[in-house]
Every structure is written in structure tokens, then in C-alpha cells.
Amino acid sequence: MDIKILHFYPDLMSLYGSYANVSVLKRRLEQMGNTVTVTPVLPGQEVDLSDADFLYMGAGTEHAQKAALEDFARYGEAVKALAGSGVAMLFAGTAMELLGKTITGADGKVYDGIGLADFTAAQGTKRFVEDVYGHTDLYPEAVVGFMNKCSVISGVETPLLTELSLGFGNEGEKTPEGFHRNNVFASQLTGPLLVKNPRMLDAVVDAIYRRRGESLPAERPTDHWAEDGWAITAEQLKLRSEGK
């Protein structure tokens, strides 16, 4: 397949190695025999989203997030239409908040999100900086990552991580985290998410293939370094979550 990835604001929204989510996805898809084109979307640039197979935006500072939102708002209706048609997308870190109804800054100013989902984000002066260990309904293995955010997100009905044993979720300590609906994936875990969690990478690849109506190869490539890294991290965070 020829697969088109749109990477929104790779310079503006690039904290914590967020770009690596795109890099690892591109490499996996190419290993599976696909031709992959990654097109950066820059502020002020006109881009046709209609033939995209995957949309991505990474993490940025709260200041960068507002700048990204100012430009991204014009794509709101198109992004919602693509989500409704099953196009796969991942919004990582502070980019997740752009999908909701509103973002309230630490200064009390309210910004409209694109309204793909009904949740709201309220940013404060306290940062939550900690490791995260949890689980998703997508697969049985644990999800691991790192959290550095200053927001509380309310009103998520379908979280990506349905259970947290360690770390700060959407609304508080050990609460569900992220957002997931159909092929829309969003999480404030950084690290980046798809590098640290091979099964989440598989889930995104599966979503791209399903939307194109293609069958997955009988055997898919395996990154033993990523698998080993996940296993070590998951074991250590599980022990910490159990107080050991």
C-alpha cells in the first residue's frame, strides 16, 4: 500500500521526542512492505487532508499548544469528518487537549477546542511529573510511559487507559487516562508512546489496515529491542505500583 501520514507542526509540537512516534510507525509500515510518505503540516500551510491514512500531532509546551490550536482550528471539521470515516490518528501530550470542547489556561482564559470529543481541559500551576503504569481494553499487556502535565481533563467517557495503577490520569491520581474512540488515539503519556509500547504500535497499524480494507500479513516484524525495553520497564513499574 501507499500510505500517507500527516504530521502536524513537527517543530512547534515536538517535546520529549514526540517525533519518534511517527518514525517508529513509518519504519514498521515499511517493514511490512508499504510505501510511506510523511508530510509535515506547518502553521499557515494549506494541506488537503482527504487522502490521509494517519494524522499525528505531538506534545508541546502550553504556550506552543495555544499557537498550534490557533492554526489547527481551521482543520477541525475536516479532522472530525476523517475520524468519523475511520481514519487512524494519534494526538500525544498536550495535543490531546485540542480534541476536546475547551481548554482553560492557567490564567483563566478559555480556548475552544475542535470539539471532536466533549471533554474539557483545565490547566493549573502545579505540574504532575511521574511514571505511569496502566492497562487498556485494546490488548492484555500493560501500558507504560511518563507524565509531565499541568492539566486536569474532565468528561472523557472512553479513555485509552481504562485502569491506572501508577501515575496521574485524566482527572487525578490513578484515574483512567487518555481518550480513544474508534481509530482515534490520544494520550498525555510521553516517551514517546508508540516506542515504549510495542502493542500500542500494533494497534495503530491494525487501525490503518482495517480502514483501508487490507489484511494484515501473517507475520509482522518484531523489534526485539523495543520488546525488551517494554518488558523491563513494565516489570519495574508494576513492582512500584505494588509498593515493592
Side-chain angles (χ1 to χ4, degrees), residues 191-231:
L193 180 66
L194 300 186
V195 175
K196 284 195 167 185
N197 296 277
R199 296 291 79 73
M200 190 68 72
L201 175 59
D202 289 342
V204 170
V205 170
D206 291 353
I208 293 172
Y209 267 71
R210 283 198 310 271
R211 202 263 176 171
R212 291 287 295 269
E214 297 286 342
S215 299
L216 288 160
E219 295 184 10
R220 68 176 71 201
T222 300
D223 184 337
H224 295 292
W225 292 104
E227 297 284 353
D228 292 347
W230 169 85

Side-chain angles (χ1 to χ4, degrees), residues 13-33:
M13 303 291 280
S14 61
L15 286 180
Y16 315 118
S18 292
Y19 69 90
N21 280 317
V22 170
S23 300
V24 72
L25 176 61
K26 180 177 184 289
R27 182 176 64 189
R28 173 60 61 84
L29 290 168
E30 288 175 339
Q31 289 173 334
M32 296 169 70

Side-chain angles (χ1 to χ4, degrees), residues 17-180:
S18 292
Y19 69 90
N21 280 317
V22 170
S23 300
V24 72
L25 176 61
K26 180 177 184 289
R27 182 176 64 189
R28 173 60 61 84
L29 290 168
E30 288 175 339
Q31 289 173 334
M32 296 169 70
N34 301 290
T35 299
V36 182
T37 301
V38 178
T39 301
V41 181
L42 305 179
Q45 180 181 356
E46 293 296 333
V47 176
D48 181 10
L49 310 188
S50 62
D51 60 347
D53 294 293
F54 183 74
L55 307 183
Y56 177 72
M57 191 189 305
T61 65
E62 284 70 36
H63 178 74
Q65 177 203 54
K66 307 306 185 301
L69 177 58
E70 184 177 357
D71 189 79
F72 189 64
R74 62 196 174 100
Y75 292 112
E77 293 305 313
V79 171
K80 288 189 285 186
L82 291 178
S85 71
V87 170
M89 52 189 76
L90 171 62
F91 290 78
T94 51
M96 169 182 163
E97 299 174 11
L98 275 59
L99 301 180
K101 289 173 60 177
T102 60
I103 302 170
T104 303
D107 59 358
K109 185 176 180 179
V110 179
Y111 303 81
D112 289 329
I114 69 167
L116 186 151
D118 290 333
F119 63 77
T120 60
Q123 299 171 347
T125 57
K126 179 181 179 180
R127 299 204 72 86
F128 307 100
V129 183
E130 51 194 297
D131 292 314
V132 174
Y133 177 87
H135 289 85
T136 177
D137 289 342
L138 295 173
Y139 51 82
E141 292 87 349
V143 178
V144 301
F146 182 74
M147 180 70 65
N148 185 345
K149 69 171 188 173
C150 66
S151 60
V152 173
I153 297 178
S154 304
V156 174
E157 296 182 355
T158 53
L160 181 62
L161 275 63
T162 51
E163 175 188 345
L164 240 60
S165 302
L166 181 71
F168 195 92
N170 289 334
E171 299 192 60
E173 201 71 26
K174 298 182 181 179
T175 60
E177 198 280 329
F179 169 77
H180 177 241

